């Protein structure tokens, strides 16, 4: 069966056609992501593919960084969250620790579920009806509902959903459909983030479907989840939070699929960031307690991905005689001048000057989009954007558009809103000069490096090598940091700044006479992403390991979208209770308490229940082929009068479903 994989990243959009029967990549395409109109970049990447093979496609699988970017940039839809049974006092004390900026869009009513070990408290439905009558939920694009103890059933959530859905024609999502973990505030944070991302993923899927419709492709659509597994379009629209970090997850899957290593580091170098995943025992390492991103604490059980600012488009700067790479992205000089030939001429003229008034005179700005009439903007911001409509401006030219002494402060909000974008020297430009990549305007990159040499005092002929050295150093030191943090619990929350400085110092001074250090890893490095072949051998040498560069490393993310399957994990706890009318091994099935005298009997009932539930969810997520499963029972023993006693355990059922 032939599948089409599409990855929309922050810099590039990739597409690939893959034959799952032969296990072959048939065709690949790569183009720039068009953020102002996603379908343009998506369609451009698909049109690069073999059009005859495209007609054989039976399904489409997607990955994207859009949800991740929206979370990092604190963007999303207007939403409301309803807690049923949350402690108001605790919520007011800790909400910021879980990512909430305020509680303006968070509502609480009383209610404690039946089936527990304390007296139940019926939900305060009158309070909810009053909120509805007062218009509290008006204007929300989506609503989330979270109740106490979802392990005992979600009857409260379902009833609230019924009441709200009857009044509002917007998505209403139950938190129990997303997470079953105990911490209600953390479940609430994940649910709030989920409903806020619904418009983001809706827009992405609409763009993809519009392109597919234009191309006459009508097949099932899947999207990669945070853990590398798949879900169908309908499920994704209700669970967009599960697409967090799905782009890097797809790259990791693609890298693992193309190699036969059971243990490896998978390093994906993109235009903006580098993403690192870890493969252990032929399986990707996952986060222990849920994804944490930009202050949000969720229960999304995603793949472990460490992301840091380092890519082909990282800004190149200098301090004294040291060249370094910023964490942020700029448009490469070679790329912007290929689009605007008149700018190439101005940079060429600039290279012939003897004196400069700017530290980085080859940098400048280009308009990304116009300011809408509804957006608040200063008179200077509108005049600056009007000037950029005529074409990009070098930094010296840009400062002349009024108020030159406050230029940096004035332009910062426009950059943050991505209304204007800065261009400058990047590793991509150095690749052009060294002949490792020739996609844009090489002469402009060389002219800009010549200017940098004049203003910095560095030998311009050596600058490309210095940039490559800085790239290898930053990548190597970050890999060392990650290995230390994952090597044990001591630094799991991050290594101190002093150790970061030590790693950097040891890298620069490895030939010290007084001592010598080596940082070794037994795991090979699988390099994916466009520039990985340029740097990975040198990084592997620094870590005393080997580099693996798969054939289709440049489009590993798109390949990864086709390498996944539907996986559903369901878990339930069994606890021995003696202080009951019917003592025994107790468990809850859909909110109803049950118990058995023998632990194995309880396990048998729980296992059958979880298997039915997991298979049902797998089919809802899009599993169409053969479904298999495995069961894991973890027993728990406690001391009772100086002897061990089986006090219960946890039953986990994992279902695997194919989409073909």
């Amino acid at each position: 069966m032939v599948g089409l994989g599409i990855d929309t990243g922050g810099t590039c959009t990739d597409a690939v056609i893959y034959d799952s029967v032969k296990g072959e990549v048939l065709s690949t395409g790569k183009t720039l992501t068009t953020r102002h109109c996603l379908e343009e970049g998506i369609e451009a990447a698909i049109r690069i593919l073999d059009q005859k093979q495209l007609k054989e496609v039976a399904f489409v699988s997607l990955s994207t960084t859009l949800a991740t970017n929206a979370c990092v940039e604190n963007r999303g839809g207007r939403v409301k969250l309803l807690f049923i049974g949350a402690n108001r006092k605790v919520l007011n004390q800790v909400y910021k620790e879980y990512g909430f900026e305020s509680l303006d869009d968070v509502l609480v009513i009383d209610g404690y579920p039946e089936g527990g070990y304390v007296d139940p408290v019926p939900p305060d439905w009158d309070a909810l009806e009053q909120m509805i009558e007062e218009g509290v939920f008006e204007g929300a694009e989506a609503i989330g509902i979270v109740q106490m103890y979802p392990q005992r059933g979600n009857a409260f959530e379902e009833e609230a959903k019924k009441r709200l859905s009857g009044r509002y024609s917007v998505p209403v999502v139950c938190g129990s459909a997303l997470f079953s973990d105990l911490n209600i505030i953390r479940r609430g944070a994940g649910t709030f983030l989920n409903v806020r991302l619904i418009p983001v993923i809706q827009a992405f899927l609409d763009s993809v479907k519009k392109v597919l419709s234009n191309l006459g492709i009508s097949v099932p659509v899947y999207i990669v989840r945070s853990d590398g597994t798949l879900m169908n379009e309908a499920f994704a629209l209700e669970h967009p939070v599960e697409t967090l970090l799905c782009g890097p997850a797809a790259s990791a899957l693609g890298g693992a699929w193309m190699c036969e290593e059971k243990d490896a580091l998978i390093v994906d170098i993109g235009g903006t960031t580098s993403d690192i995943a870890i493969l252990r025992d032929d399986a990707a390492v996952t986060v222990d307690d849920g994804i944490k991103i930009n202050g949000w604490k969720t229960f999304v059980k995603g793949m472990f991905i460490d992301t840091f600012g380092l890519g082909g488009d990282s800004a190149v700067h200098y301090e004294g005689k040291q060249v370094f790479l910023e964490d942020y992205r700029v448009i490469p000089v070679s790329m912007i001048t290929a689009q605007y030939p008149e700018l190439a001429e101005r940079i060429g003229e600039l290279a012939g000057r003897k004196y400069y008034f700017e530290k980085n005179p080859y940098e400048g700005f280009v308009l990304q989009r116009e300011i809408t009439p509804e957006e608040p903007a200063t008179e200077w911001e509108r005049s600056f954007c009007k000037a950029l409509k005529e074409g990009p401006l070098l930094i010296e030219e840009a400062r002349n558009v009024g108020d030159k002494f406050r230029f940096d402060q004035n332009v910062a909000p426009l950059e943050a809103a991505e209304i204007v974008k800065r261009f400058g020297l990047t590793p991509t430009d150095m690749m052009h000069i060294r002949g490792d990549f020739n996609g844009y305007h090489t002469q402009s990159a060389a002219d800009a490096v010549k200017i940098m040499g004049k203003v910095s005092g560095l030998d311009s002929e050596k600058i490309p090598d210095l940039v490559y050295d800085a790239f290898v150093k930053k990548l190597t030191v970050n890999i060392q940091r990650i290995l230390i943090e994952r090597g044990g619990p001591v630094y799991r929350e991050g290594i101190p700044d002093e150790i970061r400085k030590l790693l950097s110092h040891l890298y620069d001074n490895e030939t010290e006479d007084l001592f010598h250090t080596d940082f070794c890893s037994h795991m090979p490095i699988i390099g994916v992403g466009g520039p990985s072949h340029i740097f990975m051998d040198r990084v592997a040498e620094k870590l005393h390991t080997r580099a693996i560069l798969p054939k289709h490393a440049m489009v590993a993310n798109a390949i990864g979208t086709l390498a996944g399957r539907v996986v559903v994990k369901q878990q339930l706890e069994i606890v021995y209770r003696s202080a009951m009318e019917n003592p025994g091994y107790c468990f809850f099935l859909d909110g109803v308490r049950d118990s058995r005298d023998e632990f194995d009997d309880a396990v048998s009932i729980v296992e059958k229940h979880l298997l039915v539930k997991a298979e049902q969810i797998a089919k809802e997520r899009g599993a169409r082929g053969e479904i298999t499963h495995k069961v894991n029972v973890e027993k728990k023993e406690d001391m009772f009068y100086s002897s061990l006693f089986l006090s219960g355990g946890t039953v986990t059922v994992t279902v695997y479903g194919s989409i073909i």
Side-chain angles (χ1 to χ4, degrees):
M1 184 175 287
V2 176
L4 168 63
I6 304 169
D7 174 79
T8 299
T11 304
C12 292
T13 293
D14 300 334
V16 64
I17 297 177
Y18 171 73
D19 189 324
S20 60
V21 177
K22 297 179 181 179
E24 288 183 20
V25 174
L26 304 179
S27 183
T28 64
K30 178 185 283 285
T31 188
L32 292 176
T33 295
T34 49
R35 297 192 182 191
H36 63 284
C37 182
L38 292 174
E39 50 260 40
E40 288 183 12
I42 294 169
E43 184 164 350
I46 294 176
R47 289 198 180 278
I48 297 173
L49 303 172
D50 187 307
Q51 299 302 294
K52 290 183 179 179
Q53 295 170 344
L54 193 63
K55 295 178 181 179
E56 301 176 15
V57 166
F59 67 96
V60 175
S61 190
L62 314 168
S63 68
T64 180
T65 61
L66 293 176
T68 305
N69 292 343
C71 184
V72 170
E73 296 163 10
N74 220 13
R75 294 185 290 104
R78 300 184 306 275
V79 301
K80 296 289 184 181
L81 176 68
L82 175 67
F83 277 117
I84 304 177
N87 186 305
R88 291 174 175 83
K89 183 177 180 181
V90 173
L91 179 62
N92 284 322
Q93 290 173 339
V94 303
Y95 70 91
K96 288 187 177 180
E97 296 177 17
Y98 292 88
F100 294 103
E101 287 187 337
S102 73
L103 295 177
D104 293 344
D105 297 314
V106 178
L107 308 160
V108 183
I109 64 172
D110 294 327
Y112 200 86
E114 297 181 22
Y117 307 116
V118 298
D119 293 334
V121 177
D124 190 350
W125 298 125
D126 290 339
L128 177 59
E129 291 297 331
Q130 185 176 350
M131 291 176 183
I132 294 173
E133 292 301 324
E134 292 176 352
V136 173
F137 296 94
E138 295 290 343
E141 297 176 86
I143 301 170
I145 309 169
V146 177
Q147 71 168 74
M148 290 287 288
Y149 298 115
Q151 300 88 344
R152 301 172 188 171
N154 65 340
F156 293 174
E157 290 181 355
E158 289 294 340
E159 176 62 24
K161 179 178 180 178
K162 180 180 177 182
R163 293 173 183 245
L164 289 165
S165 297
R167 300 290 292 271
Y168 305 102
S169 57
V170 299
V172 180
V173 179
C174 295
S176 58
L178 302 168
F179 319 108
S180 59
D181 307 78
L182 279 174
N183 187 324
I184 186 173
I185 300 176
R186 188 163 182 174
R187 271 189 292 117
T191 303
F192 185 84
L193 192 57
N194 182 79
V195 291
R196 203 168 74 160
L197 291 173
I198 287 175
V200 176
I201 294 302
Q202 177 76 68
F204 171 60
L205 289 171
D206 286 347
S207 295
V208 171
K209 296 194 74 175
K210 182 178 179 180
V211 171
L212 296 178
S213 177
N214 291 342
L215 297 172
I217 301 173
S218 180
V219 295
V221 175
Y222 295 84
I223 190 165
V224 177
R225 299 170 68 225
S226 305
D227 60 0
T229 63
L230 299 177
M231 55 185 167
N232 61 12
E233 175 190 357
F235 198 86
L237 285 174
E238 289 192 359
H239 304 75
V241 72
E242 296 192 32
T243 67
L244 288 176
L245 300 178
C246 78
S251 293
L253 275 178
W257 177 83
M258 289 185 283
C259 303
E260 296 182 354
E261 301 292 332
K262 291 186 176 295
D263 298 299
L265 288 171
I266 302 173
V267 181
D268 178 16
I269 303 175
T272 308
T273 62
S274 290
D275 305 309
I276 298 183
I278 301 175
L279 197 66
R280 296 299 300 270
D281 297 324
D282 207 23
V285 172
T286 57
V287 291
D288 298 328
D289 58 352
I291 289 174
K292 301 171 186 175
I293 183 168
N294 196 32
W296 290 99
K297 294 181 180 179
T298 76
F299 280 124
V300 178
K301 304 301 189 290
M303 189 182 297
F304 168 77
I305 303 285
D306 191 292
T307 299
F308 51 93
L310 178 66
D313 297 346
S314 296
V316 172
H317 284 151
Y318 60 91
E319 192 65 49
K321 298 298 181 181
Q322 296 293 319
V323 172
F324 64 95
L325 299 171
E326 302 281 7
D327 291 338
Y328 59 84
R329 172 184 180 267
V330 296
I331 300 174
V333 167
S334 54
M335 181 187 293
I336 194 70
T337 52
Q339 185 177 357
Y340 298 95
E342 67 279 6
L343 179 63
E345 295 179 10
R346 281 153 42 207
I347 290 179
E349 293 171 1
L350 195 66
R353 282 171 44 176
K354 291 184 178 180
Y355 303 104
Y356 302 93
F357 301 101
E358 298 287 341
K359 184 176 183 180
N360 303 303
Y362 43 80
E363 292 190 345
F365 298 89
V366 63
L367 186 67
Q368 297 290 281
R369 66 176 179 85
E370 294 187 44
I371 301 174
T372 63
E374 297 78 20
E375 288 182 282
T378 66
E379 182 179 344
W380 182 91
E381 289 171 341
R382 294 191 184 278
S383 64
F384 184 60
C385 290
K386 183 178 180 180
L388 288 177
K389 286 184 70 174
E390 303 300 320
L393 296 175
L394 289 165
I395 185 71
E396 188 177 281
E397 300 166 338
R399 287 192 189 276
N400 290 327
V401 186
D403 200 8
K404 65 172 61 179
F405 299 107
R406 296 188 71 255
F407 177 81
D408 293 332
Q409 297 95 313
N410 289 337
V411 79
L414 294 175
E415 286 190 90
E418 294 191 334
I419 295 172
V420 305
K421 188 71 179 176
R422 188 183 296 259
F423 60 82
L425 279 173
T426 69
T428 296
D429 296 305
M430 309 304 156
M431 294 174 203
H432 281 74
I433 295 171
R434 288 178 48 124
D436 292 323
F437 179 60
N438 295 296
Y440 305 113
H441 200 283
T442 302
Q443 185 56 50
S444 292
D447 288 340
V449 166
K450 183 179 178 180
I451 298 168
M452 180 180 175
K454 288 183 177 181
V455 296
S456 67
L458 295 166
D459 185 340
S460 59
E461 291 186 1
K462 295 181 179 179
I463 287 176
D465 290 340
L466 293 175
V467 173
Y468 272 31
D469 291 343
F471 199 106
V472 172
K473 175 183 176 179
K474 190 169 184 178
L475 185 54
T476 302
V477 170
N478 270 284
I479 291 175
Q480 292 172 338
R481 169 186 60 79
I482 292 165
L483 292 174
I484 292 173
E485 290 172 352
R486 298 300 302 180
V490 177
Y491 297 120
R492 187 57 55 90
E493 295 300 319
I495 62 174
D497 286 341
E498 288 304 318
I499 295 183
R500 290 174 183 261
K501 293 177 183 177
L502 178 63
L503 291 173
S504 180
H505 172 76
L506 294 177
Y507 184 98
D508 292 330
N509 298 279
E510 58 182 15
T511 58
E512 285 267 6
D513 293 335
L514 295 178
F515 67 95
H516 180 77
T517 59
D518 279 320
F519 195 109
C520 305
S521 173
H522 72 280
M523 290 188 293
I525 301 174
I526 300 173
V528 298
S532 60
H533 65 286
I534 299 174
F535 304 107
M536 216 52 68
D537 282 330
R538 289 181 60 186
V539 172
E541 183 181 355
K542 288 287 185 181
L543 297 173
H544 298 276
T545 185
R546 56 193 171 91
I548 302 171
L549 299 169
K551 179 181 178 182
H552 297 288
M554 289 185 67
V555 290
N557 39 18
I559 292 172
T561 67
L562 302 168
R565 53 182 173 171
V566 175
V567 179
V568 177
K569 183 180 289 187
Q570 292 290 297
Q571 193 174 74
L572 206 125
E573 188 179 15
I574 300 172
V575 180
Y576 185 81
R577 300 294 184 189
S578 58
M580 291 171 51
E581 185 177 332
N582 296 308
Y585 291 96
C586 176
F587 48 90
F588 289 91
L589 302 182
D590 295 330
V592 179
R593 186 176 61 194
D594 199 351
S595 65
R596 290 294 183 273
D597 293 337
E598 300 296 329
F599 179 73
D600 289 343
D601 292 339
V603 168
S604 178
I605 294 172
V606 168
E607 179 185 329
K608 291 176 183 177
H609 174 82
L610 294 181
L611 180 58
V612 170
K613 191 173 181 180
E615 287 184 346
Q616 178 184 350
I617 295 174
K619 291 175 181 177
E620 291 175 358
R621 289 187 188 174
R624 297 189 295 165
E626 180 185 3
I627 292 180
T628 59
H629 75 278
K630 71 176 183 180
V631 179
N632 180 62
V633 179
E634 186 177 335
K635 296 181 179 180
K636 181 181 178 182
E637 293 182 327
D638 289 324
M639 293 297 295
F640 184 74
Y641 288 106
S642 301
S643 61
L644 286 174
F645 169 71
L646 182 60
S647 59
T650 302
V651 181
T652 304
V653 173
T654 307
V655 162
Y656 306 89
S658 171
I659 64 172
I660 57 176

